[in-house]
Amino acid sequence: MEKLSFAEIDNTVNATLEPPGRMYWTVVALLFCGVLVGAACWGWQILVGIGAGGQNSPVNWGTYLINFVFWVGIAHSGTLISAILYLLRAGWRNPIARAAETMTVFAVCTAGLFPFIHLGRVWMVYYMLPVPNQRTLWPNFQSPLMFDVVAISTYLIVSVLFWYTGMLPDFAVIRDRAAGVRKKIFTVLSLGWTGRYEQWRHYSRGYLLFAALATPLVISVHSVVSWDFALGVAPGWHTTIFAPYFVAGAIHSGLAMVLTLMIPMRRIFNAQRIITMHVLESVAKTIVFTGLIVGFAYATEYFIAWYSRNSVEMEVFAFRSTGDFALQYWIMVICNSLVPLLFFIKRIRTSILWLFAISIAVNIGMWFERFVIIISSVARDFLPHAWGDYAPTGIEYGIMLGSFCLFFFLFFLFVKHLPSISMTEIKELQHQAGTHD
Amino acid sequence: MTNHDTHITALFADDAQAAAAVGALRQTQWPVADVHGPIPSQAISGALGIKKSGVGWFTLAGGVFGFFLGYFLAVFTSARWGLIVSGKPVLSYIPFFIVGFEFTILFSVLANVLGLILLMRLPAHRDLPRYRPECSADRFGVVVSCRQGEAPEVRRFLTELGGEMPEPADTQRDL
Amino acid sequence: MDRRTFLKLAGMGSLTFASACTLESEKKLYSLVKNQDDMVSGKANWYAGTCRRCPAGCGVLAKNREGRVIKLEGNPLHPVNRGKLCIRGQSGLQAVYHPERPKKPRIKQDGRWQALSFEEAIVRLAEKTRSAAARGKNRVRMLTCLEGDVCMGLFEKSMAALNGTAPLVFEPFSHEHLRTANQAVFGVSGLPSYRLENADCLVSFGADFLETWLSPVEYARRFKAMHAYADGKKGRFFYVSPWRGLTGANADAWLSCRPAAEAVICLGLIRQVLARKGSSGISTQVARQIRAVCQPYTREKVIEFSGVDPSGYDQMAEALLRAKDPLILGAGTLGRGRGDLQANIAANLLNFVLDPQLGKIDFTRRHRAEKAAGYGEIAAFFDQLAGNPPDVLLLNNVNPVYALPPEMDTSGILGSKQMFTVCFSNFMDETAQRADMVFPVSMALESWDEYGAYPDLLSFCQPAMKPLYGAPQIGDVLLRIAPDGTFENKDAKQELISRVQERWGISDTGAWLQAVRAGGRFEHAEASAGASGPAVTTAFQSWFEDPSELIRSESLLFAALPSVRFFDGRDAHIPWLCEIPDPVSKVAWQSPVLMHPETARKYGVRTGDGINLINRSGAVSAPVYETRYIQPGLAGIQAGQGHAVPGKYSGGRGANPFSLFSLKRPADAKTAFYAADPLRLEKSGQRQKLASTAGSMDPHGRKIALTMTLSDLAAPPGPEKHGLAMHDFPLTLPMPEGYDAHRDFYPPHDHADYRWAMVVDLDRCIGCSACAAACYAENNLAVVGEQEIINGREMSWMHIEHYQQMDRPDQPIFLPMLCQHCDNAPCESVCPVFAPHHNKEGLNNQIYNRCIGTRFCAQNCPYKVRRFNWHDWNWPEPLNLQLNPDVTVRSKGVMEKCSFCVQRIKTAHGHAKDENRKIKDGEVIPACVQTCPTGALVFGSLMDADSRVSKLVKDRRAYQVMGYLNTKPAVIYLKKVVHEIR
């Protein structure tokens, strides 16, 4: 990464906060309409019942939980980049850490909606909260869904706090350069941060601990999500590889999403000198790694099914790759474990176009991975007489559209109103680079 | 100690210079009131002789509390009705560990934040007057307190150390 | 907007939001100030009666709660059904509460219907009839369904007074071929009953005695008496027919033959029997003629003509010759065409040759259905209507427009302006649509009547509830429209009382009350048995003709197939019968064209393709359903659907096979019959999704519906299984002894006093689906409709799964599937809110109010018996009156499933507590168990060592479906016993 003066860094980042143009607001408005569409669909579903969707017996879970797992997955690489790579002192994570963290926060928010959308009686959802009640009947903490409640809410709280703490010094920077209302707002947000070394000493320590805690958390959260399935008896679900398999998958999809977001962002904010090709390349390399893990997991599933000699397991997996959902299955395999291998070629992993295309492919592939896992197992489980089929309805597509719009809506608001690149961390990076050479 | 009624801020381009200045000032009778910087710096912390932060103790306490709270919640709630599900014991400690674990993380983090707030005494708007905005950008500001009369001397001293001197007017403003 | 308006709007918004959140509840509460003497709120009254959904005449008990009948159960004292009911009997209630049941009489004036009060209607009708009667002979005619003797007597009397001839009895399923055959062979023009229970080898040439033939519930019981495994023995049952319906599905072997080739096969068998056994006990001259008739049918000829599988044929012949007590049943109810008549005659002869004493045919206990008029008479009747229309035509609960061939133009005749047609009907069916007046009379459950399935069997109908719409019963109407002074009695009830007094000598009130309470007089109904058959005449030869055209027919032939659900079509509008799928095809709501895959390939169609079947009588369009259970070259549609009437349930659903038949009337009217001419098949172009509830009928080698051969059972039991794999996993009872350290991770748990469990004997289950209907009635199950079934959202708590046998894919097996109430139920632990949990008596509770609808339990149920409320289902009024007040009606968004009829368990608990004792074995009887005609289901507590379930689970045949999942189901299945393949 070429030498950048602190001032240049500040300028680049503060430039992103210049009052946005009409184009921007048009996009934001469109996204908001998308959100409204999703909300309307949900309203309709609450009115007429879950039957508005395509779920049935035996396929009682549909796109809602697919999207839930998908978005939780997206969230994960944010924490990976901001926490795990921080602990590993991987310098290339600094330029994208902030955006990735933001992605985490918004993805968790989006994901958090889906369990509600999925519920048959969402108005009774408080039964899942451990609140004292006159029946003295509490939630069942043996249920994987209660693990979810605990894990996801913890994850949301932690990632929000982590996010805010990380932004504190940057708020101060903006405060010092801003004027008028913006100055007032950022004065409040920055909590009077002055960069005194008395502050730095607690801050650095606290931030390190944050990272140290977020790391086990992020791994536990997606393990818990995987146990929603692994603790079930359905063939193809009831397996011990699910936790690592899901965590890897989550990071896989998350990194892809990071690329999908970063590539346009650096272009629009011409932050090419901060989010350098080196950074994107490093992400691509990591994607190759996670892709290989995921591919390995796919293979393992088949091996274990064969090795078990259990006809039910074997038939479910035969069905996955050859049955009604074979198309989805092969999309998953190709997009997740084969396409990323192209990143072995330097020319491809350093070409913006390729990076972007492949990141999209992986996103699609990971969505279908969740589809294959959630739908195909129950569609062909133990009693052949109960076998069934599944196809999403318009309502479900509407809600899915709404969820994507919500995510990008929030992200768009963020990039123009908060520092989407961590100035402090870039400065540290520069400083280290400076001291080392 | 004689009363130091003036604060003089010198801005340095990088932390090495600032650290040197702090070191030099230590030899004089003028105490270093404060050092501001855009990034944490080993050199400066070293020069100031700052100790490791104690926020970790908050975090630990929070974690321990959270772990037991989580376990207690799970055990207590399932003991209320003692409903058997899937033929498992009413108190299934293994699944309850997940609750305990998540609570551990949650409360460590909450305690961690609490610790930061208390130790950094946030919100710290009271610090702003003595602070130069450049310090959030690319300057390291060393604040020296001295008597009114010594001011020119101190300025000279700091300039020799390579510090930039903003106009006196600014430095006087907090009196 | 200014601040005030904003606040107003905000306020409104929050208000509407708040009000939207409130759960709607009953607005008013009524209490009965003056109660009827026999009505105690919350306590049921039971009234005995007779089921009138078909001519079989089973005894029912009607459960009346707060003045409304909410459930029908069989009358245990009744000799016909011994406390059991079929799917139709269980659903009978919905005919009473049907939303489309006319509330008032209506009269057609210049094409539009006008409502009348009952009084008005009677007055108007009386005018018409009396003036008509005055105008001369036979100006008033009547066509009625089969009624009891008393009612018929009343009809005749009043028709006579109106100076017309006696009413003609029209039953689409008149079993005329059987009657004619009995006349031809035994000189008895009637329908004797058959003692299946005494047979050890049964051959049916199409007689569908489990679906519609004569008396299904009774014959199901008698059939299982010979065909259920007991002390090492099990009778054999061969089914010879071009198609395999429910009855055929229960046969040990199905011999598929060309349509109308049954007679040939039967004659071939006669030949072999005579050859092997000789003709001892048969008069020489009769024997000579029999020989003459069956001489040409050598084994080779038979096989050539009928296209039957040779080895199967030999097996059947062998079994028949070896049998000690063989019994032959002729063609089926829907027997159409001359071939079936011959089949029946041949069957009679075969019976005679095998057992000249005819010991297993009871000519004294004859089915009432024999009183129905023949095809010829019906045809003649309509000819007269056409030729010389009477002034008034009374139609009592018949639907000739649907059931008779289109070419007879019944609809045109009934529509004619010259005669005033009155239809006493409770549904606006095809016939009612064409009548000039529709008079809804009270139904069997609302009126005083009598219907004896057999001669001198007294079986009452009594009002189990106040007539829903205050309609009079038909007896009263005829009594009113007859000229004054015709009847000494003032109403039909009085008439009934005096007739019963005359005929059954029930004079004093005590005896009367006793009889009414019991549902009738059953003592000597059983007595008349053992009388041997009459002498065989020689009138039969003339019937047989050269069968050689059989092998020539190359074109697509057609058959109407019997349906256990719709009978002759009178029940096609009943929601439960539409909703519960056909047990063999597993298709609900629709009546597809059954076709052999070969045939389908030949015509280039596949399952789901819409096709039109056309012949010179008419045309029907329906989707194709490929099945191996039908002879190639034959297309079949189950009878009952395809009603051309408006209506939510029956309107325009399925296809009417009768519309492809035409009346064949050779010289003498007595031998008239219906037959379908060869078909032309056209693709309609569009495809239709079949509302099938079966994913796959192939068990995929899984431990689901298992069989055992007799020799397996004869052999000493093998070593105890204790593996962990699917097929060597032991039976693990849902009891502490069912746990074992090397299989179980968790310790066992105990239960308080009872551990409820059910034993399902697959050897006894005939798949009739009566249990499913009973469950719908008892537990307020919703009817979701055709589209939602296609979406896979049926709500049945108890359903019949149809599988191929694992080692014999050609043989079907039925598996009743319901919540298994597992000891380690996977559904329970995954629920975040404890909605499903294990109760102290081992039940798997489902708490509707607690459920928030995560649906994880259903995902995790290996048996897929949990049902989710995808919408708020509705019960169009007055169907809601049938709802069982002891069972919650579930709202949208909650999961539900079989509860082992927990409400009945609770009631039993109440009684036991009052008498301060434990619940006795057999005291708790879930609805499905109660109605099972063959006693395949047994319910009880495993903690009671001498309960029947505790004994049965020790049976060698006991196993658990997918037991290796170690959920320890409390529903234990007994393997079906099959005969070795030789």
Side-chain angles (χ1 to χ4, degrees), chain B residues 17-30 32 47 157-158 161:
Chain B
Q17 280 185 330
V22 171
L25 283 162
R26 284 249 174 132
Q27 315 304 321
T28 69
Q29 75 275 33
W30 303 304
V32 175
F157 180 80
L158 288 168
L161 291 167

Side-chain angles (χ1 to χ4, degrees), chain A residues 196-214:
Chain A
R196 300 174 60 213
Y197 278 86
E198 185 57 20
Q199 287 175 339
W200 276 124
R201 118 176 133 114
H202 300 299
Y203 180 85
S204 333
R205 187 74 186 163
Y207 196 78
L208 182 70
L209 289 167
F210 246 121
L213 289 165

Side-chain angles (χ1 to χ4, degrees), chain C residues 542-556:
Chain C
S542 58
W543 294 102
F544 293 104
E545 60 197 20
D546 170 33
S548 43
E549 94 279 359
L550 281 177
I551 45 179
R552 280 204 301 278
S553 68
E554 265 314 302
S555 52
L556 184 60

Side-chain angles (χ1 to χ4, degrees), chain A residues 89-352:
Chain A
R89 299 261 182 275
W92 60 265
R93 57 65 87 179
N94 291 21
I96 54 171
R98 171 69 41 76
E101 256 171 68
T102 317
M103 185 180 82
T104 301
V105 173
F106 296 157
V108 176
C109 296
T110 318
L113 282 176
F114 278 102
F116 293 86
I117 296 168
H118 170 84
L119 282 189
R121 297 204 302 166
V122 66
W123 49 95
M124 291 298 182
V125 69
Y126 63 90
Y127 284 172
M128 285 176 92
L129 303 177
V131 287
N133 57 82
Q134 96 285 0
R135 311 176 207 80
T136 72
L137 179 52
W138 299 75
N140 170 15
F141 282 107
Q142 291 185 28
S143 162
L145 295 182
M146 279 317 290
F147 303 163
D148 267 358
V149 172
V150 180
I152 299 291
S153 42
T154 304
Y155 191 41
L156 182 59
I157 295 166
V158 171
S159 43
V160 169
L161 290 172
F162 195 25
W163 185 55
Y164 188 88
T165 317
M167 277 193 289
L168 205 50
D170 287 5
F171 286 155
V173 177
I174 299 163
R175 174 197 64 201
D176 296 344
R177 299 171 132 256
V181 185
R182 210 136 132 264
K183 190 174 189 75
K184 288 199 175 59
I185 293 170
F186 280 94
T187 314
V188 175
L189 288 177
S190 59
L191 303 172
W193 176 268
T194 56
R196 300 174 60 213
Y197 278 86
E198 185 57 20
Q199 287 175 339
W200 276 124
R201 118 176 133 114
H202 300 299
Y203 180 85
S204 333
R205 187 74 186 163
Y207 196 78
L208 182 70
L209 289 167
F210 246 121
L213 289 165
T215 305
L217 176 64
V218 66
I219 291 164
S220 81
V221 168
H222 220 63
S223 307
V224 162
V225 170
S226 80
W227 294 334
D228 287 347
F229 308 98
L231 292 185
V233 295
W237 282 9
H238 193 58
T239 144
T240 46
I241 72 160
F242 256 38
Y245 169 21
F246 267 52
V247 173
I251 292 168
H252 194 47
S253 62
L255 289 172
M257 187 56 95
V258 168
L259 284 184
T260 319
L261 293 174
M262 288 305 117
I263 289 169
M265 198 174 103
R266 72 198 279 274
R267 179 74 182 286
I268 293 163
F269 296 147
N270 39 48
Q272 286 91 337
R273 296 173 62 215
I274 293 176
I275 306 171
T276 55
M277 184 50 76
H278 165 73
V279 173
L280 302 180
E281 203 181 338
S282 319
V283 177
K285 286 175 183 166
T286 324
I287 288 181
V288 173
F289 175 62
T290 48
L292 287 171
I293 300 179
V294 171
F296 177 72
Y298 298 157
T300 314
E301 280 190 314
Y302 272 82
F303 170 76
I304 294 298
W306 166 81
Y307 187 69
S308 71
R309 311 308 302 152
N310 177 319
S311 61
V312 182
E313 286 284 333
M314 291 196 282
E315 277 158 29
V316 161
F317 281 97
F319 171 74
R320 276 192 185 177
S321 48
T322 61
D324 303 352
F325 303 117
L327 175 66
Q328 288 87 333
Y329 179 83
W330 290 110
I331 292 178
M332 160 186 115
V333 172
I334 291 163
C335 293
N336 292 350
S337 36
L338 301 183
V339 170
L341 297 184
L342 293 170
F343 282 148
F344 274 117
I345 305 160
K346 176 105 182 157
R347 219 183 70 261
I348 287 178
R349 71 167 179 267
T350 53
S351 133
I352 290 298

Side-chain angles (χ1 to χ4, degrees), chain A residues 46-61 64 118-125 127-128 135 137-146 227-229 231-234 237 310-312 315 374 378 380-387, chain C residues 23 586 693-696 698-700 702 704 726 791-793 799-803 817 826 828-834 848-856 858-864 866-868 870-872 891-895 961-962 964-965:
Chain A
I46 292 173
L47 205 64
V48 305
I50 296 294
Q55 296 101 318
N56 57 52
S57 174
V59 186
N60 288 275
W61 289 355
Y64 303 145
H118 170 84
L119 282 189
R121 297 204 302 166
V122 66
W123 49 95
M124 291 298 182
V125 69
Y127 284 172
M128 285 176 92
R135 311 176 207 80
L137 179 52
W138 299 75
N140 170 15
F141 282 107
Q142 291 185 28
S143 162
L145 295 182
M146 279 317 290
W227 294 334
D228 287 347
F229 308 98
L231 292 185
V233 295
W237 282 9
N310 177 319
S311 61
V312 182
E315 277 158 29
I374 293 176
V378 281
R380 290 290 181 282
D381 71 356
F382 298 102
L383 258 54
H385 188 278
W387 286 358
Chain C
L23 302 159
K586 299 310 288 175
T693 62
S696 163
D698 174 359
H700 287 73
R702 300 180 186 181
I704 299 172
M726 187 189 290
N791 296 348
R793 293 170 180 175
H799 61 275
I800 300 292
E801 300 193 347
H802 171 187
Y803 286 108
M817 182 46 71
E828 290 168 350
S829 62
V830 295
C831 176
V833 295
F834 282 121
Y848 308 126
N849 293 346
R850 184 69 179 171
C851 177
I852 59 174
T854 68
R855 310 196 285 293
F856 201 161
Q859 293 287 80
N860 217 28
C861 173
Y863 306 96
K864 287 287 173 280
R866 297 188 144 256
R867 299 285 181 250
F868 185 70
W870 301 100
H871 297 291
D872 270 327
S891 70
K892 70 169 179 252
V894 305
M895 191 63 71
V961 172
M962 289 306 218
Y964 81 105
L965 295 170

Side-chain angles (χ1 to χ4, degrees), chain C residues 612-634:
Chain C
N612 303 326
L613 296 177
I614 303 153
N615 67 7
R616 48 171 282 274
S617 322
V620 298
S621 55
V624 173
Y625 177 92
E626 293 175 65
T627 170
R628 287 177 295 102
Y629 291 162
I630 191 161
Q631 170 82 2
L634 183 66

Side-chain angles (χ1 to χ4, degrees), chain B residues 8-166:
Chain B
I8 295 164
T9 307
L11 302 175
F12 294 87
D14 68 40
D15 62 332
Q17 280 185 330
V22 171
L25 283 162
R26 284 249 174 132
Q27 315 304 321
T28 69
Q29 75 275 33
W30 303 304
V32 175
D34 221 334
V35 181
H36 301 283
I39 57 167
S41 156
Q42 292 299 334
I44 295 173
S45 310
L48 288 167
I50 288 171
K51 298 188 300 326
K52 202 157 119 261
S53 161
V55 67
W57 293 109
F58 285 87
T59 319
L60 179 64
V64 173
F65 171 76
F67 180 78
F68 286 106
L69 180 69
Y71 245 109
F72 170 77
L73 181 71
V75 170
F76 170 80
T77 54
S78 12
R80 292 299 87 192
W81 275 68
L83 295 170
I84 296 177
V85 289
S86 304
K88 296 174 186 168
V90 172
L91 302 180
S92 318
Y93 295 100
I94 296 160
F96 292 172
F97 178 79
I98 292 156
V99 185
F101 175 83
E102 298 298 341
F103 272 66
T104 312
I105 302 287
L106 180 60
F107 280 82
S108 324
V109 166
L110 293 177
N112 191 32
V113 172
L114 182 70
L116 286 177
I117 289 169
L118 294 179
L119 293 174
M120 293 157 74
R121 315 214 335 281
L122 295 172
H125 297 295
R126 66 188 171 294
D127 296 347
L128 287 173
R130 278 208 257 131
Y131 156 83
R132 305 277 315 180
E134 295 86 345
C135 300
S136 69
D138 54 356
R139 288 290 181 271
F140 295 83
V142 180
V143 184
V144 184
S145 30
C146 63
R147 261 193 243 92
Q148 183 70 319
E150 299 164 337
E153 193 181 343
V154 174
R155 289 217 184 75
R156 200 177 318 111
F157 180 80
L158 288 168
T159 327
E160 279 159 15
L161 291 167
E164 309 159 16
M165 284 296 135

